[in-house]
Amino acid sequence: MARTVFFSVSMSLDGFIAPGSLSELMGQQWMELQQWVFPTRFFRENLGLGEGGEDGRDDDILRETFDRTGASVMGKRMFDAGERMWPEEAPFHTPVFVVTHERRDPWERPGGTVFHFVNDGVAAALARARDAAGDRDVRIAGGGATILEHVNAGLVDEFSIALSPVLLGSGIRLFEGIDAGRVALEQVRAEPGQRVTHLTYAVRER
């Protein structure tokens, strides 16, 4: 059974984690938000882009996040975007449980990623991910609505934000609609980096 349920995202200074429409993904603002990821050695290795890339703390954090994750949960919007953009060898290399109303057989990709489509809500998807993760952690991969649903249901133990020095002005806010009356946070780590500040919090009930 999985140990910890967590999410990790990049966020702009004004609180956005993604543009408002799928057509804007991979656009200039999204690239600026994620600019700390692309230079790292791990990013190149995980997407099969060849050797090279930067070492350092940003690279370490990406590797640690990948290594601790035994299974992931994501929403249909994120899957739809990723299905178009991920390489054939999708970058998860673990089971992924997609919360959707669509009925679809599991989709197996080279490299160990298998997408399972769950039709009965986030709690059911998370339960299956916990079983699949074994003694590793479960990552709520996104998008924002799926993360929020898990947080408001009291299903998240910890999260990390890579706070990026950009302003998006609009898009998907990470905490839009949060049930703040039931969620308390305890800061675990704060690490300034060259491109972002890494913040980690434990989630507590009030």
Side-chain angles (χ1 to χ4, degrees):
M1 182 68 70
R3 299 172 302 179
T4 300
V5 177
F6 77 103
F7 67 86
S8 57
V9 294
S10 300
M11 187 175 76
S12 68
L13 283 176
D14 51 347
F16 297 99
I17 61 170
S21 68
L22 294 179
S23 63
E24 295 175 280
L25 283 173
M26 303 302 290
Q28 181 179 352
Q29 285 187 310
W30 188 86
M31 297 290 283
E32 290 176 356
L33 182 66
Q34 303 292 345
Q35 48 83 28
W36 70 278
V37 174
F38 303 131
T40 63
R41 184 181 298 273
F42 176 79
F43 177 80
R44 295 189 59 81
E45 291 174 358
N46 199 36
L47 269 73
L49 300 178
E51 298 180 356
E54 298 178 2
D55 296 314
R57 188 61 185 135
D58 288 345
D59 185 67
D60 291 343
I61 286 172
L62 288 175
R63 289 181 187 276
E64 290 164 6
T65 301
F66 179 84
D67 288 344
R68 70 184 285 195
T69 301
S72 296
V73 176
M74 71 175 58
K76 183 62 162 52
R77 182 179 185 274
M78 180 177 179
F79 174 79
D80 286 344
E83 189 175 18
R84 298 199 302 267
M85 296 188 300
W86 293 318
E88 183 180 12
E89 187 171 315
F92 300 94
H93 309 290
T94 62
V96 179
F97 296 87
V98 181
V99 182
T100 178
H101 296 297
E102 178 185 5
R103 295 193 177 276
R104 179 171 171 177
D105 292 333
W107 187 42
E108 185 171 353
R109 310 305 299 145
T113 301
V114 181
F115 294 95
H116 301 271
F117 301 90
V118 182
N119 306 123
D120 44 357
V122 296
L126 181 58
R128 292 181 61 182
R130 284 182 180 276
D131 289 341
D135 62 355
R136 296 162 74 188
D137 297 337
V138 173
R139 181 183 182 190
I140 311 304
T146 301
I147 290 172
L148 186 69
E149 191 169 357
H150 281 83
V151 174
N152 282 345
L155 298 174
V156 172
D157 304 307
E158 178 187 294
F159 66 86
S160 295
I161 291 173
L163 190 62
S164 185
V166 298
L167 299 170
L168 297 189
S170 64
I172 296 174
R173 287 190 184 274
L174 176 58
F175 296 116
E176 187 74 40
I178 191 72
D179 186 358
R182 65 170 298 175
V183 177
L185 303 178
E186 175 185 333
Q187 184 163 298
V188 177
R189 281 186 303 278
E191 298 184 58
Q194 182 177 356
R195 296 182 177 91
V196 294
T197 300
H198 297 282
L199 304 170
T200 300
Y201 299 90
V203 182
R204 308 283 188 243
E205 287 193 14
R206 288 191 183 276

